[in-house]
Amino acid sequence: MKSHIPKGLTGLWRGRLVPDAGGSGMARADKTLQQVLFGRADANTAFADLRGLLRGLGFEERIRGDHHIFTKEGVAEIMNLQPIGAKAKAYQVRQVRSIILKYKLGL
């Protein structure tokens, strides 16, 4: 089955994320990356998956209460994410997408 990743984005995640013991880490990261890039379900993105995606892209995370602050050398923006229950806020998923595309992260 052929992937539906847009041209130029097929190399994302190659060698970037080590799968967890169950072997599903790569599949989950791929699914989350596709969900974020395509913008099909911004309001339905799991917060834990978004955190895993950012950590897999090399972001460092600091936690202050329910604020998860992500920084990365070479990326000017600082992302401050907060969950709504188990989901990520839709506008914050859009911010993550714009940063991934702006800095061509994972290529």
Side-chain angles (χ1 to χ4, degrees):
M1 178 177 268
K2 195 166 186 167
S3 175
H4 296 288
I5 299 175
K7 186 176 180 179
L9 297 178
T10 56
L12 288 171
W13 287 107
R14 189 170 298 150
R16 282 292 202 175
L17 186 66
V18 178
D20 61 13
S24 64
M26 181 68 83
R28 180 171 292 260
D30 254 348
K31 180 181 175 187
T32 304
L33 180 62
Q34 286 181 17
Q35 184 176 355
V36 169
L37 289 177
F38 292 130
R40 286 180 268 183
D42 289 348
N44 199 28
T45 301
F47 187 74
D49 292 346
L50 191 62
R51 286 180 60 212
L53 173 66
L54 290 170
R55 287 190 309 238
L57 290 171
F59 282 85
E60 294 181 22
E61 179 182 23
R62 286 186 302 123
I63 301 172
R64 192 96 156 154
D66 68 341
H67 292 257
H68 296 256
I69 301 146
F70 292 90
T71 57
K72 180 178 171 87
E73 189 173 322
V75 175
E77 293 85 356
I78 296 171
M79 288 181 282
N80 182 1
L81 308 180
Q82 306 91 37
I84 298 178
K87 302 290 181 189
K89 294 181 179 181
Y91 80 92
Q92 292 175 344
V93 175
R94 289 190 295 271
Q95 287 176 341
V96 169
R97 177 175 42 254
S98 70
I99 289 171
I100 289 171
L101 294 174
K102 178 179 178 180
Y103 292 96
K104 298 178 178 136
L105 297 177
L107 295 177

